[in-house]
Amino acid sequence: MRIGQMFEKDIARSMKGVVNVGQDGAQLVFQELDEYVVTRELLKHFRDFFNVYNQSLGSVHNDMGVWISGFLGSGKSHLLKMLSYLLENREISYQGQTRRAIDFFDGKIQDAMLAGDIKRAVNSDVDVILFNIDSKADSVSGRDAILRVFLKVFNEKLGYSGDHPHIAALERHLAAQGRLAAFKDAFRAVAGVDWERERDGYSFYADELVQALSEALGKTPEGARAWLDKAEDDFKSLLTVENFARWIKEYLVSRGPRHRILFLVDEIGQFIGQDTHLMLNLQTITENLGTACGGRAWVVVTSQEDIDAVLGEVRAARANDFSKIQGRFKTRLSLSSANVDEVIQKRLLGKTELARSTLATVYRNQADILKNQLSFSNVGMTFKPYADEQDFVSVYPFAPYQFQLVQIDRLDQVVGGV
């Protein structure tokens, strides 16, 4: 039997070496869910997260921040995507199969209590907004950079303009008045194009926009044009964390008492760096969302460093008290690369039944020879041999010590790049 014939899945299949939270094609999502390995470490993190999340479903809960940390390759972005798929209970159709995200975890989690907690969580009414903060940020820097990104992704989720918050404010006002559909119809009638298609170039359609507004709201064209001329400048004074929290609260109230919204933010630590203003901006956002929404608006972030390390670097640059943000991010999930061998065995090296029986026979016949060949001395560290028959079947065609070498090499790369 050739090595390539031993595996359950095609070893030549395309696999992403790095998880990108912005990629969500059906094939990629299906593969990520299907091949996701819930290691012993991840089981603990799933328990911690869903325990806290489910507590908030039945009561006012201010512990609505989660900080996921881990070095490059530890799987923090992958975990963030899995949480987004599960909480949304996303439906994926691929190659004639249609499955919910929760269905992929049947058999991955043996803990019945944890499986029950996850099923309870995915049955909640929730909006999940997953994004890489650096890819969503605009070129304008400043102390409210994180706030602008949060508002942008929130507007996009609701179908409003993401790049022009004052236009999104207009759409929000029209929707609250029940006149958004009438405005879109009026704009299409006078401009000959759909509003969503051309709203980013609204200045080129100033006359048509004024006419559509006056028809939808029953105002004079002069009044509509006066608003348009001042809209962008006027909105700058409205762009505050307090108003953002109020808009989130109003949205949640409109969706019912059990509705929740989750902002899942990748690479927040790198975005903040040592900028005290950005850390204070994140602190104020989480604090105001927690107070205004009573635990119905969640912020889950990833960072290469844990929150204490990030705050330590920020304090070193400039002393500030960040105790409030530490209180909001009480749930902290720290990932390591300790279970890389478990992931490789289950995701890449899963064998067919014929291959398993064949390898088991080989091990029984050659166990003593293998033990002698994999015996090392004077190497400065202990290299693991095959523990038993099951270990041989799971690891083949590799030897256990090779996973140790891979981890050492990866650690050297990470440390060398810092």
Side-chain angles (χ1 to χ4, degrees):
M1 177 181 291
R2 293 180 177 273
I3 291 178
Q5 299 172 329
M6 292 183 170
F7 305 103
E8 290 179 319
K9 296 179 180 178
D10 181 12
I11 59 173
R13 67 189 183 278
S14 174
M15 297 180 64
K16 295 290 185 182
V18 177
V19 172
N20 186 334
V21 299
Q23 296 177 328
D24 64 349
Q27 178 182 355
L28 177 64
V29 173
F30 191 96
Q31 183 182 31
E32 286 181 338
L33 283 164
D34 186 46
E35 299 184 3
Y36 190 66
V37 177
V38 182
T39 64
R40 294 181 295 275
E41 181 181 59
L42 287 171
L43 273 175
K44 178 183 181 302
H45 294 325
F46 275 116
R47 287 192 193 99
D48 292 342
F49 175 83
F50 284 104
N51 179 53
V52 175
Y53 182 77
N54 284 336
Q55 288 178 17
S56 73
L57 296 180
S59 62
V60 175
H61 198 281
N62 288 334
D63 297 337
M64 30 61 72
V66 180
W67 192 285
I68 303 174
S69 61
F71 286 113
L72 179 67
S74 61
K76 59 185 183 299
S77 296
H78 209 171
L79 174 58
L80 192 72
K81 287 192 82 172
M82 288 302 113
L83 291 176
S84 75
Y85 296 153
L86 282 171
L87 292 166
E88 198 174 26
N89 203 11
R90 184 169 176 175
E91 184 178 86
I92 305 97
S93 297
Y94 177 65
Q95 290 186 339
Q97 298 185 60
T98 299
R99 299 168 66 183
R100 289 280 184 182
I102 188 66
D103 299 332
F104 289 90
F105 281 75
D106 289 342
K108 294 181 186 288
I109 296 178
Q110 304 300 325
D111 185 334
M113 185 173 294
L114 174 58
D117 285 343
I118 294 176
K119 290 180 180 178
R120 180 188 174 199
V122 302
N123 286 326
S124 62
D125 190 11
V126 63
D127 286 316
V128 177
I129 306 177
L130 172 70
F131 61 99
N132 181 300
I133 189 165
D134 190 53
S135 67
K136 287 292 185 179
D138 55 34
S139 59
V140 180
S141 61
R143 63 179 61 209
D144 62 348
I146 294 179
L147 172 62
R148 291 200 302 270
V149 175
F150 270 65
L151 179 59
K152 177 179 181 178
V153 296
F154 176 60
N155 286 334
E156 289 176 344
K157 183 68 175 180
L158 271 57
Y160 303 151
S161 173
D163 294 327
H164 303 285
H166 63 290
I167 296 298
L170 168 64
E171 294 171 316
R172 184 179 292 107
H173 175 72
L174 289 167
Q177 299 293 319
R179 304 301 298 166
L180 183 57
F183 165 76
K184 291 180 179 179
D185 291 340
F187 184 84
R188 186 185 304 110
V190 297
V193 293
D194 289 334
W195 167 246
E196 288 88 350
R197 181 179 176 181
E198 297 296 335
R199 64 186 173 191
D200 285 343
Y202 69 93
S203 59
F204 293 102
Y205 293 90
D207 293 338
E208 292 84 351
L209 174 56
V210 166
Q211 185 174 340
L213 270 179
S214 63
E215 291 182 17
L217 295 176
K219 295 184 177 297
T220 64
E222 293 77 14
R225 187 171 295 279
W227 170 87
L228 180 61
D229 292 339
K230 300 187 300 180
E232 187 168 3
D233 290 334
D234 287 348
F235 185 79
K236 291 178 181 179
S237 63
L238 297 176
L239 184 57
T240 64
V241 174
E242 184 177 25
N243 281 334
F244 173 70
R246 176 172 59 83
W247 295 329
I248 298 292
K249 181 180 179 180
E250 290 173 352
Y251 171 71
L252 291 172
V253 169
S254 71
R255 296 299 302 270
R258 293 186 58 81
H259 196 82
R260 276 160 178 73
I261 187 168
L262 286 92
F263 295 92
L264 275 59
V265 192
D266 197 28
E267 299 296 356
I268 192 74
Q270 287 181 297
F271 188 77
I272 290 174
Q274 296 185 13
D275 192 326
T276 58
H277 295 309
L278 293 181
M279 180 57 81
L280 287 170
N281 197 209
L282 178 62
Q283 173 176 293
T284 309
I285 290 170
T286 54
E287 181 183 2
N288 278 261
L289 286 177
T291 303
C293 302
R296 294 173 62 190
W298 281 65
V299 179
V300 184
V301 304
T302 71
S303 172
Q304 289 194 14
E305 307 87 0
D306 62 31
I307 189 170
D308 294 325
V310 173
L311 291 179
E313 292 180 4
V314 171
R315 285 194 183 98
R318 181 176 171 184
N320 276 293
D321 181 14
F322 295 102
S323 58
K324 291 181 180 179
I325 194 172
Q326 288 176 307
R328 290 301 180 191
F329 287 94
K330 286 185 178 179
T331 304
R332 304 176 190 179
L333 313 179
S334 179
L335 277 68
S336 69
S337 301
N339 301 120
V340 64
D341 54 342
E342 185 179 356
V343 174
I344 293 175
Q345 289 174 35
K346 293 182 178 180
R347 188 178 183 189
L348 299 178
L349 304 181
K351 312 293 195 307
T352 64
E353 284 301 321
L354 177 59
R356 295 181 69 84
S357 62
T358 301
L359 290 172
T361 301
V362 170
Y363 184 82
R364 285 193 291 268
N365 294 334
Q366 307 291 334
D368 292 338
I369 297 175
L370 288 169
K371 182 177 180 179
N372 290 329
Q373 288 182 335
L374 298 180
S375 177
F376 300 92
S377 61
N378 300 322
V379 293
M381 65 180 297
T382 301
F383 287 122
K384 293 193 300 182
Y386 294 113
D388 50 31
E389 177 183 301
Q390 179 60 42
D391 191 31
F392 177 76
V393 172
S394 300
V395 170
Y396 188 85
F398 298 103
Y401 73 85
Q402 291 176 315
F403 295 118
Q404 293 174 267
L405 296 177
V406 168
Q407 286 180 265
I408 293 170
D409 181 61
R410 169 57 67 87
L411 182 59
D412 286 342
Q413 291 180 36
V414 172
V415 174
V418 172

